[in-house]
Amino acid sequence: MPHIARMYDYWLGGKDNYAADRAVADQITAIFPDILVNVRAQRAFLGRVVRYLAADAGIWQFLDIGTGLPSANNTHEVAQRFVPQSRVVYVDNSPVVLAHARALLSSGPQGVTAFIEADLRDPGRILAEAARTLDLSRPVAVLLLGVLSFIPDDEDPAAIVARLMAAVPPGSYLAVAHPASDIAAEQVARSVRRYNHQARDPVTARTYAEVGRCFDGLDLVEPGLVQLHRWRAGTEDLTGGLELPNYGGVGRKP
Ligand SMILES: C[S@@+](CC[C@H](N)C(=O)[O-])C[C@H]1O[C@@H](n2cnc3c(N)ncnc32)[C@H](O)[C@@H]1O
């Protein structure tokens, strides 16, 4: 069966993917050619967010849920470039992802990385296991990049986010990247249908307002919730006026 982490790997030019992943990824590329720019833009967003959190916001603890297959500039690499003592807990519900991650995502000498095989639907377990590595009485950045879309509406993704953020102290941050249903709406709807028809875990794209609900009770960092290739992109934004159906934002717990 196709798996989103291996499809991402394929779109990013990696080698950890199979024919089933490539077939669906190619079908989606045919419907929505900008998916390639979109996936790269999400990785670039991850890099800018982690750099901002480590270099500007004073964060040295990261809980990265929905890790994906290792690629360039993984969370701990970016964080430890700026703060070598950074501690990063990676969480994914895919054993394949965790096997690769354990093999490749080793920490710098002053920091720590840890791996948890767990589902975002079980925030209690994630927090309990993360507490072995992170000091949850000190600020933590919770990264939910490309993963909340795997929680259907009837499982209340905003409530899961609220539970995670309730467990970390003021001064903690939330970062979200989430596919948009209200930009390039027709292409997104067709791509989502095509993926859901063939994959095990269905994906849900959401409107600006729906994604915004994840930040309830948090102060959005400038420039707020935007198409993620425009988030603090500066000279990195090589996409011109392209409209990408992918929202990104960072919020701070007051
Ligand atoms: C699209 S990839 C995102 C990778 C990376 N965060 C990024 O932004 O480049 C989504 C990842 O989330 C994982 N995932 C999907 N549903 C999940 C769930 N319910 N709990 C934990 N991880 C999940 C998948 O296995 C996959 O590795």
Side-chain angles (χ1 to χ4, degrees), residues 3-6 8 12 39 42-43 45-46 64-69 71 75 91-95 97 118-122 126 143-151 177 200-201:
H3 191 278
I4 190 65
R6 293 191 304 254
Y8 252 63
L12 286 168
V39 168
Q42 185 165 312
R43 288 302 295 188
F45 173 72
L46 179 154
D64 180 349
I65 307 176
T67 305
L69 287 169
S71 180
T75 299
V91 181
D92 207 286
N93 69 349
S94 160
V97 166
D119 199 290
L120 177 56
R121 293 173 180 83
D122 194 354
I126 291 175
L143 310 183
L144 298 172
L145 308 181
V147 67
L148 280 169
S149 46
F150 293 96
I151 307 294
R200 198 193 54 179
D201 299 317

Side-chain angles (χ1 to χ4, degrees), residues 57-171:
I59 293 289
W60 50 275
Q61 305 195 96
F62 296 82
L63 182 56
D64 180 349
I65 307 176
T67 305
L69 287 169
S71 180
N73 286 321
N74 300 295
T75 299
H76 75 287
E77 290 162 341
V78 181
Q80 292 178 356
R81 202 174 295 148
F82 295 98
V83 183
Q85 304 87 334
S86 291
R87 305 174 81 85
V88 178
V89 173
Y90 289 110
V91 181
D92 207 286
N93 69 349
S94 160
V96 177
V97 166
L98 265 297
H100 279 85
R102 277 202 180 92
L104 293 174
L105 302 183
S106 51
S107 173
Q110 299 176 56
V112 177
T113 53
F115 307 90
I116 303 173
E117 188 180 329
D119 199 290
L120 177 56
R121 293 173 180 83
D122 194 354
R125 184 168 151 230
I126 291 175
L127 289 162
E129 294 201 23
R132 292 190 199 146
T133 304
L134 306 179
D135 177 353
L136 298 184
S137 69
R138 309 283 299 275
V140 175
V142 178
L143 310 183
L144 298 172
L145 308 181
V147 67
L148 280 169
S149 46
F150 293 96
I151 307 294
D153 290 339
D154 60 7
E155 296 188 69
D156 202 352
I160 294 174
V161 176
R163 272 197 67 191
L164 290 168
M165 295 312 292
V168 292

Side-chain angles (χ1 to χ4, degrees), residues 150-214:
F150 293 96
I151 307 294
D153 290 339
D154 60 7
E155 296 188 69
D156 202 352
I160 294 174
V161 176
R163 272 197 67 191
L164 290 168
M165 295 312 292
V168 292
S172 293
Y173 285 82
L174 168 72
V176 170
H178 199 299
S181 61
D182 49 3
I183 298 167
E186 203 214 333
Q187 283 173 310
V188 171
R190 282 179 61 209
S191 306
V192 165
R193 272 200 304 277
R194 183 62 63 93
Y195 176 79
N196 288 351
H197 185 65
Q198 297 171 82
R200 198 193 54 179
D201 299 317
V203 73
T204 305
R206 296 195 162 92
T207 64
Y208 185 84
E210 287 167 342
V211 178
R213 222 166 281 152
C214 298

